[in-house]
Amino acid sequence: MSRLSVCLLAMSLAWSVIPSTGAEPQPGGSQEVGAKPIPGANEAKPSAGAVTRLGKARFQNVGKVFSVAFSPDGKTLASAAWDGSICLWDPATGKELRQCVGHTGWVKAVAFSADGKTLASGGKDGDIHLWETANGKELRRLKGHRAWIQSLVLAANGKFLASKSVDGILVLWDGATGRELGRPPVQRNTSSSLAFSPDSRALAYASDISTISLWDVATGRELRHIRLPRSWFDAIAFSPDGKTMTAVSYFDRVIHLWDVSNAKELRPFGKLETFRGDGLTFSPDGKAVTCLEDYGMGGAAAMAADASAGGSGLGASARGGTMIHVREARTGQERCQLYVREGAVACSAFSPDGKVLAIGGNDITVLLWDLTGRLHQGQLQPLQLPAAELPTLWTELASDDAAKANRAIWKLVAAAEQSVPFFKEHLRPEVPTVDEHGLRQLVVKLDSNQFVERRKAMEQLEKLGEVTESVLRQTLQNRPSLETRQRVEQLLGKIESARLVPPPERLRELRALEVLEHIATPEAQKVLEALTKKELPDRELKQQAKASLERLGKTTASPKEAK
Amino acid sequence: MADYRFAIVGLGFVALVIAPARLWAGLPEKPGLRAQDAQALAAKIDQLVAARWTAKGVKPAPLADDAEFLRRVHLDLAGRIPRIDEVRDFLDDDTPDKRQRLVERLLSTSVREGDLFSPHFANVWRAILLPVAANQEERSLAPSFEAWLRKRFEENAGYDKMVREILTGRQSNSGENPLAFYQASEGKPEVLAANTSRLFLGVKLECAQCHNHPLGHWTRQQFWEYASFFADSQPNGQPTGAGRRELKIPGTEKVVQARFPNGAAPDWKPGADTRATLAEWVIAADNPYFARTAVNRVWAYFFGTGLVEPVDEVGEQNPPSHPELLDELARQFVAHRFDMKFLVRAITLSQTYQRTSTATHPSQNDPRLFARMAVRGLSPEQLFDSLAQATGYHETPTRNGYFNGYEARTPRSEFLAKFTNQEKRTESQTSILQALHLMNGQFMAEQTSLERNEVLNTVANDTRDTAHRIEELYLNTLSRKPRPEETARLVKYVDSGGPSHDPKKALGDVFWALLNSGEFMLNH
């Protein structure tokens, strides 16, 4: 059986997991992949949740796919493996497009340039190879490292490339000429994690066991740094808007989140039972993040250890394998998880449309996981909802349960024709009922001698929320009385707290924006535009709607062009 | 066969229906009803405490005024003094149920509302269950244990569930670790036996480790039988998995098997977990010691003196001051599924808790009669956090002042480190040390400096008169308005400018004096 036919067979099997009988697909549930025995040396059926498996043979525990990357247009997927192969795949058909041949020994890292025309790779031979994606030809080889490459990353503008080798040397390269630009200082034995800011101006890397440095690539100086003692940071990543940065500390397994502009830590993102650093990836819209939990080999040894510990049942951890969690970035809550039984998963990458997660593991195949639970032949199946279901889904968007909300999101995306008009009706920007003068009057009343007046002013300002922020901050600047100061600080604290722990209504709005961004039709964009009008207050809803439109502007035609 | 099956079904029915009905008799399901229950228990507390006054001819102190109550309940439930706006609003509010509403607000564990109860009660219970030792290794266990407790209080997990989790002792993730309880005892069976019996059963078994208990009826054999439940523990707190349940009594050849302190032998089922078996026995609703010990500790926390005092010595030789009250509190605690908030609500709503600490009659001097509120020293955390509140000091939060199990070097952690060995809160020794440290410390000097402190600066630049500024400082530090004679004296001092002839600096002197006053440093 040819490789292509094997892939097609796998796809036809895999895609049949989307039920057409109306049964509910469950992207939010726990799913297990690869539980079936492998028939011979050929393809096995990837079960619920997986779109398909790329690769002919599955060799258990002999090596792994170290790195996967989608091209920016989502039409090509690159995988790099222990056997030195770099494969380029068409993720829509599962077909292998070509291989890039030239490495001596295994390949540890691959990354696409922003235009998708170039692929960079690095591995055991210590050289950075640049490949032409269209034909697999080697364009250039960057020499400078004396040890094997652990990681590499390309800046979005294509001008810079950074690579780190196992001897702790970090090199910044000119992406166009291959010239070495500098070596930012870094201590040995730090994490190999590297990330360019989306504006390509800064490189973030772990400079020692307690510090992440933000390196200005133009000036060759440190912009600022983030320090937490003995944290062993790994998995550094920027959100797509570049405003926040995340990293995981090996020490306490906390996912930390910072405001990039001032290096101030925001609320901890979540906590992992066990942690593998190579899997932490933001989705393209920054709304989700993956984490890998490695349970090791599992099997008899783990079972025995569990039994001796009283047999409480360690679940998946006793079985080995890897649990892949997809968490909601805003709340840290789990949206869905996938259990991959066959040992370690080494890497993962979101498709640019955020609908598929590519997973590379130790059987040298690549799994494509349907995050929507609704893909059919690579496309989201349109859905016609009973009219009564729309309000239910609207309620579920506000749910504390991120998995439930996630299912509602994809259902609403699939029912685009109904959900866009519904959102147009329900997702209305809140126009403040009090103008700036009125707000200032309310602030004055915070120090009133009348208890009832103070209480009413406090309640009103609290209810108005974000729109009061600038007036409240100005009040603090103007030396208010101690009591006013404390009341204003309390109100600002609540605004801040609603940002970090969004109330249900805010969550619903943000998730609704996500639905509209995924739908991406001109009608959906119009709803988004209505939320960004100049006269509207600068609330998070407006800011996020703007960010959605900016992202859509990069990937689709603007509404005017579409007309 | 048919009869046998019927018998099994019948027994199952009895077990399912009768047993819970017996354990949770009269348990209300709705929160509203629970609040009514707390009110009813508060009234019962007052009735049973008052009964002793009649017998002893005690004239109880009157109820505390709003300011005294506000400050006390804030320190007890939130671990710090109230903000100035909270004080003014509470004093100006004339609705009759404002004390009840305040308690509810302080018990709220909503993150959005700013939960102060969970971190504070986690700290209180950590100090009880895992007192911080001088040893650095043991000190490093406290943060993860406290973080775990905090999470349980946030969820309002029942006290029984928390103790079950502690006794079962499984390692959770590194940041929240109930196993720290075992680790602090290095897994030593005799230490674990002594600690668990003292903390969860109110019985000091330590003496029986070497000889039969001099006063109680505990024998040396009983001690080692009980310790045998922990025979399988390793220094890291984990069980070895070998399932060992016996120990040799030191200095003898006698090997004893695990038995409960009441002499009963566990009914070991195949594959039974030793720790879980013990935990189920300890937390059982019909264990006469468990709930009584818990409510006694909570009572001692709020009143400075337990109904059984010392709290660790329950027994015939040390009867409770109010046996019926202890029984009623324990009964209600069990009936409300060991709900800590229910117990706290009932106590703080009682008139007994709401009495003033000012003595109005000599008959109020016996602390075991609870005729007036005891004056209690603050815990180091309460003192520092109140000081931070009054001076507007903000420290970057690092999970209970710690980071990664190591203390962050912050003014808070350095302050707390000076008070690791905490004495009983009603004894003034700790407070004197705290006072000396405060008065002479650099932190206090900085926080009361006119140039550096935002709060003082704001008050000093307030355009209103000196009397108003003095009132603001009082509300901000002592959570009350100054008395007329205090205002008169301090206005005179500030207006004269004090020794430096500078009214603003003189205001700083007042601020310093208020923060260093006994009234600020005590819970009264």
Side-chain angles (χ1 to χ4, degrees), chain A residues 229 251-252 271 308-309 447 451 454 479-481 483 485-487 490 501-502, chain B residues 83-85 88-89 92 112 170 175 241 399 403-404 454 457-458 461 464:
Chain A
F251 196 99
D252 59 5
K271 204 162 198 176
S308 71
D447 203 8
F451 166 62
R454 286 201 306 267
R479 291 187 166 274
S481 72
E483 194 175 338
R485 169 176 290 280
Q486 293 204 352
R487 287 187 196 277
Q490 202 189 338
V501 187
Chain B
R83 293 187 312 266
I84 187 169
D85 56 294
R88 191 159 273 165
D89 281 358
D92 290 352
R112 285 173 192 131
R170 293 260 183 271
R399 289 185 288 288
F403 177 69
N404 290 349
E454 188 77 39
N457 214 295
T458 305
N461 288 304
R464 286 166 283 194

mmCIF file of all heavy atoms in Angstrom, chain A residues 229 251-252 271 308-309 447 451 454 479-481 483 485-487 490 501-502, chain B residues 83-85 88-89 92 112 170 175 241 399 403-404 454 457-458 461 464:
data_model
loop_
_atom_site.group_PDB
_atom_site.id
_atom_site.type_symbol
_atom_site.label_atom_id
_atom_site.label_comp_id
_atom_site.label_asym_id
_atom_site.label_seq_id
_atom_site.Cartn_x
_atom_site.Cartn_y
_atom_site.Cartn_z
ATOM 1 N N PRO A 229 12.877 34.453 41.809
ATOM 2 C CA PRO A 229 13.972 33.612 42.248
ATOM 3 C C PRO A 229 13.746 32.122 42.002
ATOM 4 O O PRO A 229 12.657 31.614 42.253
ATOM 5 C CB PRO A 229 14.044 33.896 43.754
ATOM 6 C CG PRO A 229 13.346 35.182 43.948
ATOM 7 C CD PRO A 229 12.336 35.286 42.874
ATOM 8 N N PHE A 251 9.778 25.270 38.824
ATOM 9 C CA PHE A 251 9.862 25.109 40.271
ATOM 10 C C PHE A 251 8.488 24.911 40.890
ATOM 11 O O PHE A 251 8.260 23.982 41.649
ATOM 12 C CB PHE A 251 10.546 26.330 40.896
ATOM 13 C CG PHE A 251 10.992 26.064 42.296
ATOM 14 C CD1 PHE A 251 12.298 25.729 42.563
ATOM 15 C CD2 PHE A 251 10.091 26.127 43.352
ATOM 16 C CE1 PHE A 251 12.698 25.456 43.849
ATOM 17 C CE2 PHE A 251 10.483 25.857 44.629
ATOM 18 C CZ PHE A 251 11.788 25.520 44.888
ATOM 19 N N ASP A 252 7.559 25.806 40.549
ATOM 20 C CA ASP A 252 6.238 25.678 41.179
ATOM 21 C C ASP A 252 5.157 25.254 40.194
ATOM 22 O O ASP A 252 4.010 25.122 40.556
ATOM 23 C CB ASP A 252 5.839 26.988 41.871
ATOM 24 C CG ASP A 252 5.799 28.166 40.905
ATOM 25 O OD1 ASP A 252 5.980 27.933 39.702
ATOM 26 O OD2 ASP A 252 5.589 29.292 41.360
ATOM 27 N N LYS A 271 -2.064 26.120 37.042
ATOM 28 C CA LYS A 271 -1.010 25.310 37.651
ATOM 29 C C LYS A 271 -1.068 23.906 37.052
ATOM 30 O O LYS A 271 -2.134 23.380 36.816
ATOM 31 C CB LYS A 271 -1.256 25.253 39.145
ATOM 32 C CG LYS A 271 -0.034 24.973 39.919
ATOM 33 C CD LYS A 271 -0.251 25.359 41.345
ATOM 34 C CE LYS A 271 1.072 25.489 42.031
ATOM 35 N NZ LYS A 271 0.916 25.938 43.377
ATOM 36 N N SER A 308 1.264 0.599 45.655
ATOM 37 C CA SER A 308 1.978 0.703 46.934
ATOM 38 C C SER A 308 1.603 1.986 47.662
ATOM 39 O O SER A 308 1.696 2.075 48.868
ATOM 40 C CB SER A 308 3.488 0.651 46.711
ATOM 41 O OG SER A 308 3.908 1.843 46.096
ATOM 42 N N ALA A 309 1.157 2.970 46.894
ATOM 43 C CA ALA A 309 0.748 4.229 47.536
ATOM 44 C C ALA A 309 -0.684 4.142 48.050
ATOM 45 O O ALA A 309 -1.278 5.134 48.419
ATOM 46 C CB ALA A 309 0.891 5.380 46.554
ATOM 47 N N ASP A 447 -17.135 61.444 49.487
ATOM 48 C CA ASP A 447 -16.679 61.977 50.777
ATOM 49 C C ASP A 447 -17.804 62.753 51.473
ATOM 50 O O ASP A 447 -17.560 63.540 52.385
ATOM 51 C CB ASP A 447 -15.479 62.907 50.534
ATOM 52 C CG ASP A 447 -14.618 63.036 51.775
ATOM 53 O OD1 ASP A 447 -14.879 62.292 52.743
ATOM 54 O OD2 ASP A 447 -13.690 63.860 51.781
ATOM 55 N N PHE A 451 -24.314 59.303 54.822
ATOM 56 C CA PHE A 451 -24.012 57.895 54.549
ATOM 57 C C PHE A 451 -24.730 57.410 53.295
ATOM 58 O O PHE A 451 -24.137 56.766 52.430
ATOM 59 C CB PHE A 451 -24.404 57.060 55.769
ATOM 60 C CG PHE A 451 -24.449 55.587 55.511
ATOM 61 C CD1 PHE A 451 -23.302 54.906 55.132
ATOM 62 C CD2 PHE A 451 -25.627 54.869 55.651
ATOM 63 C CE1 PHE A 451 -23.326 53.539 54.898
ATOM 64 C CE2 PHE A 451 -25.663 53.508 55.415
ATOM 65 C CZ PHE A 451 -24.512 52.843 55.046
ATOM 66 N N ARG A 454 -23.135 58.720 50.131
ATOM 67 C CA ARG A 454 -21.855 58.022 49.876
ATOM 68 C C ARG A 454 -22.114 56.635 49.298
ATOM 69 O O ARG A 454 -21.494 56.220 48.323
ATOM 70 C CB ARG A 454 -21.085 57.845 51.193
ATOM 71 C CG ARG A 454 -20.450 59.066 51.749
ATOM 72 C CD ARG A 454 -19.324 58.689 52.712
ATOM 73 N NE ARG A 454 -19.694 57.785 53.776
ATOM 74 C CZ ARG A 454 -20.088 58.159 55.001
ATOM 75 N NH1 ARG A 454 -20.172 59.436 55.295
ATOM 76 N NH2 ARG A 454 -20.384 57.260 55.923
ATOM 77 N N ARG A 479 -4.779 64.682 44.854
ATOM 78 C CA ARG A 479 -4.712 64.697 46.318
ATOM 79 C C ARG A 479 -6.088 64.729 46.986
ATOM 80 O O ARG A 479 -6.461 65.711 47.630
ATOM 81 C CB ARG A 479 -3.902 65.915 46.795
ATOM 82 C CG ARG A 479 -2.425 65.808 46.462
ATOM 83 C CD ARG A 479 -1.658 66.933 47.086
ATOM 84 N NE ARG A 479 -0.229 66.668 47.052
ATOM 85 C CZ ARG A 479 0.427 65.968 47.961
ATOM 86 N NH1 ARG A 479 -0.209 65.487 48.996
ATOM 87 N NH2 ARG A 479 1.725 65.766 47.857
ATOM 88 N N PRO A 480 -6.847 63.672 46.850
ATOM 89 C CA PRO A 480 -8.156 63.647 47.490
ATOM 90 C C PRO A 480 -8.000 63.410 49.001
ATOM 91 O O PRO A 480 -6.888 63.153 49.468
ATOM 92 C CB PRO A 480 -8.829 62.441 46.840
ATOM 93 C CG PRO A 480 -7.692 61.520 46.534
ATOM 94 C CD PRO A 480 -6.506 62.378 46.229
ATOM 95 N N SER A 481 -9.106 63.462 49.732
ATOM 96 C CA SER A 481 -9.040 63.157 51.165
ATOM 97 C C SER A 481 -8.723 61.669 51.327
ATOM 98 O O SER A 481 -8.855 60.885 50.380
ATOM 99 C CB SER A 481 -10.380 63.461 51.816
ATOM 100 O OG SER A 481 -11.328 62.477 51.413
ATOM 101 N N GLU A 483 -10.299 59.384 52.874
ATOM 102 C CA GLU A 483 -11.456 58.518 52.665
ATOM 103 C C GLU A 483 -11.756 58.359 51.174
ATOM 104 O O GLU A 483 -11.992 57.251 50.690
ATOM 105 C CB GLU A 483 -12.658 59.097 53.397
ATOM 106 C CG GLU A 483 -13.778 58.093 53.491
ATOM 107 C CD GLU A 483 -14.943 58.596 54.310
ATOM 108 O OE1 GLU A 483 -14.746 59.509 55.123
ATOM 109 O OE2 GLU A 483 -16.046 58.085 54.116
ATOM 110 N N ARG A 485 -9.668 58.717 48.777
ATOM 111 C CA ARG A 485 -8.571 57.930 48.216
ATOM 112 C C ARG A 485 -8.853 56.430 48.389
ATOM 113 O O ARG A 485 -8.741 55.646 47.455
ATOM 114 C CB ARG A 485 -7.258 58.317 48.892
ATOM 115 C CG ARG A 485 -6.093 57.378 48.588
ATOM 116 C CD ARG A 485 -4.816 57.877 49.221
ATOM 117 N NE ARG A 485 -4.345 59.076 48.559
ATOM 118 C CZ ARG A 485 -3.671 59.088 47.425
ATOM 119 N NH1 ARG A 485 -3.364 57.959 46.837
ATOM 120 N NH2 ARG A 485 -3.302 60.207 46.878
ATOM 121 N N GLN A 486 -9.219 56.060 49.607
ATOM 122 C CA GLN A 486 -9.425 54.628 49.863
ATOM 123 C C GLN A 486 -10.627 54.087 49.093
ATOM 124 O O GLN A 486 -10.609 52.957 48.613
ATOM 125 C CB GLN A 486 -9.575 54.382 51.358
ATOM 126 C CG GLN A 486 -8.267 54.677 52.090
ATOM 127 C CD GLN A 486 -8.127 53.948 53.413
ATOM 128 O OE1 GLN A 486 -9.042 53.317 53.894
ATOM 129 N NE2 GLN A 486 -6.951 54.042 54.007
ATOM 130 N N ARG A 487 -11.657 54.915 48.969
ATOM 131 C CA ARG A 487 -12.832 54.448 48.201
ATOM 132 C C ARG A 487 -12.462 54.301 46.715
ATOM 133 O O ARG A 487 -12.850 53.340 46.065
ATOM 134 C CB ARG A 487 -13.989 55.425 48.350
ATOM 135 C CG ARG A 487 -14.651 55.361 49.720
ATOM 136 C CD ARG A 487 -15.902 56.229 49.773
ATOM 137 N NE ARG A 487 -16.304 56.467 51.140
ATOM 138 C CZ ARG A 487 -17.031 55.617 51.870
ATOM 139 N NH1 ARG A 487 -17.409 54.466 51.346
ATOM 140 N NH2 ARG A 487 -17.350 55.895 53.101
ATOM 141 N N GLN A 490 -10.414 51.326 46.140
ATOM 142 C CA GLN A 490 -11.259 50.133 46.192
ATOM 143 C C GLN A 490 -11.991 49.932 44.861
ATOM 144 O O GLN A 490 -12.056 48.820 44.338
ATOM 145 C CB GLN A 490 -12.263 50.332 47.312
ATOM 146 C CG GLN A 490 -12.852 49.050 47.842
ATOM 147 C CD GLN A 490 -14.000 49.351 48.795
ATOM 148 O OE1 GLN A 490 -14.077 50.447 49.339
ATOM 149 N NE2 GLN A 490 -14.884 48.407 48.961
ATOM 150 N N VAL A 501 -10.228 38.475 36.838
ATOM 151 C CA VAL A 501 -11.224 37.413 36.997
ATOM 152 C C VAL A 501 -12.522 37.953 36.396
ATOM 153 O O VAL A 501 -13.330 38.542 37.081
ATOM 154 C CB VAL A 501 -11.433 37.072 38.490
ATOM 155 C CG1 VAL A 501 -12.330 35.861 38.641
ATOM 156 C CG2 VAL A 501 -10.116 36.858 39.187
ATOM 157 N N PRO A 502 -12.693 37.774 35.101
ATOM 158 C CA PRO A 502 -13.825 38.426 34.446
ATOM 159 C C PRO A 502 -15.162 37.929 35.004
ATOM 160 O O PRO A 502 -15.329 36.733 35.183
ATOM 161 C CB PRO A 502 -13.676 38.016 32.982
ATOM 162 C CG PRO A 502 -12.355 37.372 32.859
ATOM 163 C CD PRO A 502 -11.925 36.919 34.201
ATOM 164 N N ARG B 83 -10.786 49.384 56.670
ATOM 165 C CA ARG B 83 -10.369 50.643 56.035
ATOM 166 C C ARG B 83 -11.198 51.785 56.594
ATOM 167 O O ARG B 83 -12.284 51.566 57.140
ATOM 168 C CB ARG B 83 -10.602 50.575 54.515
ATOM 169 C CG ARG B 83 -9.756 49.601 53.757
ATOM 170 C CD ARG B 83 -9.992 49.804 52.249
ATOM 171 N NE ARG B 83 -11.410 49.876 51.944
ATOM 172 C CZ ARG B 83 -12.147 48.842 51.575
ATOM 173 N NH1 ARG B 83 -11.608 47.657 51.431
ATOM 174 N NH2 ARG B 83 -13.443 48.991 51.327
ATOM 175 N N ILE B 84 -10.720 52.991 56.386
ATOM 176 C CA ILE B 84 -11.424 54.168 56.932
ATOM 177 C C ILE B 84 -12.848 54.276 56.361
ATOM 178 O O ILE B 84 -13.798 54.605 57.084
ATOM 179 C CB ILE B 84 -10.613 55.467 56.674
ATOM 180 C CG1 ILE B 84 -11.257 56.643 57.396
ATOM 181 C CG2 ILE B 84 -10.433 55.763 55.221
ATOM 182 C CD1 ILE B 84 -10.383 57.897 57.406
ATOM 183 N N ASP B 85 -13.022 53.967 55.084
ATOM 184 C CA ASP B 85 -14.363 54.085 54.506
ATOM 185 C C ASP B 85 -15.288 53.012 55.062
ATOM 186 O O ASP B 85 -16.479 53.243 55.251
ATOM 187 C CB ASP B 85 -14.298 54.021 52.967
ATOM 188 C CG ASP B 85 -13.622 52.769 52.463
ATOM 189 O OD1 ASP B 85 -12.411 52.621 52.701
ATOM 190 O OD2 ASP B 85 -14.288 51.928 51.849
ATOM 191 N N ARG B 88 -16.337 54.334 58.546
ATOM 192 C CA ARG B 88 -17.319 55.428 58.503
ATOM 193 C C ARG B 88 -18.678 54.915 58.043
ATOM 194 O O ARG B 88 -19.710 55.258 58.630
ATOM 195 C CB ARG B 88 -16.818 56.536 57.574
ATOM 196 C CG ARG B 88 -17.627 57.780 57.692
ATOM 197 C CD ARG B 88 -16.892 58.983 57.194
ATOM 198 N NE ARG B 88 -16.059 59.594 58.210
ATOM 199 C CZ ARG B 88 -15.111 60.487 57.954
ATOM 200 N NH1 ARG B 88 -14.858 60.837 56.719
ATOM 201 N NH2 ARG B 88 -14.426 61.021 58.921
ATOM 202 N N ASP B 89 -18.679 54.059 57.047
ATOM 203 C CA ASP B 89 -19.963 53.528 56.564
ATOM 204 C C ASP B 89 -20.659 52.715 57.649
ATOM 205 O O ASP B 89 -21.866 52.819 57.844
ATOM 206 C CB ASP B 89 -19.752 52.647 55.320
ATOM 207 C CG ASP B 89 -19.562 53.490 54.071
ATOM 208 O OD1 ASP B 89 -19.636 54.735 54.183
ATOM 209 O OD2 ASP B 89 -19.316 52.913 52.993
ATOM 210 N N ASP B 92 -22.052 54.974 60.386
ATOM 211 C CA ASP B 92 -23.177 55.809 59.950
ATOM 212 C C ASP B 92 -24.415 55.007 59.563
ATOM 213 O O ASP B 92 -25.496 55.569 59.436
ATOM 214 C CB ASP B 92 -22.756 56.675 58.753
ATOM 215 C CG ASP B 92 -21.773 57.759 59.169
ATOM 216 O OD1 ASP B 92 -21.556 57.907 60.389
ATOM 217 O OD2 ASP B 92 -21.233 58.441 58.287
ATOM 218 N N ARG B 112 -13.992 37.909 43.437
ATOM 219 C CA ARG B 112 -14.333 39.222 42.880
ATOM 220 C C ARG B 112 -14.599 40.237 43.974
ATOM 221 O O ARG B 112 -14.389 41.427 43.795
ATOM 222 C CB ARG B 112 -15.551 39.096 41.963
ATOM 223 C CG ARG B 112 -15.183 38.451 40.652
ATOM 224 C CD ARG B 112 -16.411 38.169 39.803
ATOM 225 N NE ARG B 112 -16.014 37.301 38.708
ATOM 226 C CZ ARG B 112 -16.652 36.194 38.371
ATOM 227 N NH1 ARG B 112 -17.717 35.811 39.023
ATOM 228 N NH2 ARG B 112 -16.231 35.468 37.367
ATOM 229 N N ARG B 170 -1.770 12.501 51.024
ATOM 230 C CA ARG B 170 -1.257 12.229 49.673
ATOM 231 C C ARG B 170 -0.581 13.504 49.170
ATOM 232 O O ARG B 170 -1.081 14.599 49.379
ATOM 233 C CB ARG B 170 -2.410 11.892 48.724
ATOM 234 C CG ARG B 170 -3.090 10.597 49.059
ATOM 235 C CD ARG B 170 -2.599 9.483 48.158
ATOM 236 N NE ARG B 170 -3.324 8.264 48.448
ATOM 237 C CZ ARG B 170 -2.941 7.376 49.358
ATOM 238 N NH1 ARG B 170 -1.845 7.567 50.057
ATOM 239 N NH2 ARG B 170 -3.645 6.280 49.568
ATOM 240 N N GLY B 175 2.764 23.249 45.091
ATOM 241 C CA GLY B 175 2.356 24.493 45.715
ATOM 242 C C GLY B 175 1.335 24.327 46.827
ATOM 243 O O GLY B 175 1.248 25.155 47.715
ATOM 244 N N GLY B 241 4.266 1.632 51.491
ATOM 245 C CA GLY B 241 3.503 0.714 50.649
ATOM 246 C C GLY B 241 3.586 -0.706 51.154
ATOM 247 O O GLY B 241 2.903 -1.600 50.657
ATOM 248 N N ARG B 399 1.665 34.937 47.236
ATOM 249 C CA ARG B 399 1.029 33.792 47.895
ATOM 250 C C ARG B 399 1.382 33.694 49.376
ATOM 251 O O ARG B 399 2.320 33.033 49.773
ATOM 252 C CB ARG B 399 1.414 32.487 47.189
ATOM 253 C CG ARG B 399 0.750 32.353 45.827
ATOM 254 C CD ARG B 399 1.059 31.022 45.232
ATOM 255 N NE ARG B 399 2.425 30.902 44.780
ATOM 256 C CZ ARG B 399 2.903 31.518 43.721
ATOM 257 N NH1 ARG B 399 2.126 32.296 43.017
ATOM 258 N NH2 ARG B 399 4.144 31.344 43.353
ATOM 259 N N PHE B 403 7.300 32.810 48.515
ATOM 260 C CA PHE B 403 7.399 32.454 47.109
ATOM 261 C C PHE B 403 8.113 31.128 46.975
ATOM 262 O O PHE B 403 9.190 30.933 47.526
ATOM 263 C CB PHE B 403 8.151 33.519 46.310
ATOM 264 C CG PHE B 403 8.306 33.124 44.888
ATOM 265 C CD1 PHE B 403 7.214 33.076 44.057
ATOM 266 C CD2 PHE B 403 9.516 32.712 44.412
ATOM 267 C CE1 PHE B 403 7.334 32.656 42.754
ATOM 268 C CE2 PHE B 403 9.647 32.282 43.106
ATOM 269 C CZ PHE B 403 8.561 32.263 42.282
ATOM 270 N N ASN B 404 7.487 30.234 46.281
ATOM 271 C CA ASN B 404 8.103 28.946 45.979
ATOM 272 C C ASN B 404 8.589 28.201 47.218
ATOM 273 O O ASN B 404 9.608 27.535 47.177
ATOM 274 C CB ASN B 404 9.305 29.137 45.043
ATOM 275 C CG ASN B 404 8.846 29.540 43.667
ATOM 276 O OD1 ASN B 404 7.668 29.470 43.365
ATOM 277 N ND2 ASN B 404 9.774 29.967 42.853
ATOM 278 N N GLU B 454 2.232 58.107 52.151
ATOM 279 C CA GLU B 454 1.149 58.696 51.366
ATOM 280 C C GLU B 454 -0.068 59.022 52.236
ATOM 281 O O GLU B 454 -0.690 60.078 52.096
ATOM 282 C CB GLU B 454 0.765 57.683 50.270
ATOM 283 C CG GLU B 454 -0.213 58.196 49.245
ATOM 284 C CD GLU B 454 0.424 59.113 48.222
ATOM 285 O OE1 GLU B 454 1.559 58.824 47.804
ATOM 286 O OE2 GLU B 454 -0.218 60.118 47.851
ATOM 287 N N ASN B 457 0.661 61.975 54.466
ATOM 288 C CA ASN B 457 0.750 63.133 53.594
ATOM 289 C C ASN B 457 -0.633 63.617 53.183
ATOM 290 O O ASN B 457 -0.920 64.817 53.183
ATOM 291 C CB ASN B 457 1.544 62.722 52.348
ATOM 292 C CG ASN B 457 2.352 63.856 51.839
ATOM 293 O OD1 ASN B 457 1.778 64.845 51.400
ATOM 294 N ND2 ASN B 457 3.672 63.744 51.938
ATOM 295 N N THR B 458 -1.494 62.660 52.844
ATOM 296 C CA THR B 458 -2.859 63.011 52.429
ATOM 297 C C THR B 458 -3.601 63.695 53.568
ATOM 298 O O THR B 458 -4.258 64.722 53.364
ATOM 299 C CB THR B 458 -3.625 61.736 52.016
ATOM 300 O OG1 THR B 458 -2.875 61.079 51.008
ATOM 301 C CG2 THR B 458 -5.001 62.060 51.488
ATOM 302 N N ASN B 461 -2.292 67.209 54.355
ATOM 303 C CA ASN B 461 -2.624 68.227 53.362
ATOM 304 C C ASN B 461 -4.128 68.417 53.186
ATOM 305 O O ASN B 461 -4.557 69.137 52.287
ATOM 306 C CB ASN B 461 -1.976 67.871 52.019
ATOM 307 C CG ASN B 461 -0.475 68.080 52.074
ATOM 308 O OD1 ASN B 461 -0.018 69.174 52.389
ATOM 309 N ND2 ASN B 461 0.291 67.028 51.826
ATOM 310 N N ARG B 464 -9.314 70.617 55.549
ATOM 311 C CA ARG B 464 -10.211 70.838 56.685
ATOM 312 C C ARG B 464 -9.416 71.057 57.975
ATOM 313 O O ARG B 464 -8.182 70.964 57.977
ATOM 314 C CB ARG B 464 -11.181 69.665 56.797
ATOM 315 C CG ARG B 464 -12.238 69.729 55.698
ATOM 316 C CD ARG B 464 -13.019 68.456 55.545
ATOM 317 N NE ARG B 464 -12.265 67.438 54.834
ATOM 318 C CZ ARG B 464 -12.813 66.336 54.328
ATOM 319 N NH1 ARG B 464 -14.101 66.117 54.458
ATOM 320 N NH2 ARG B 464 -12.081 65.452 53.682
#
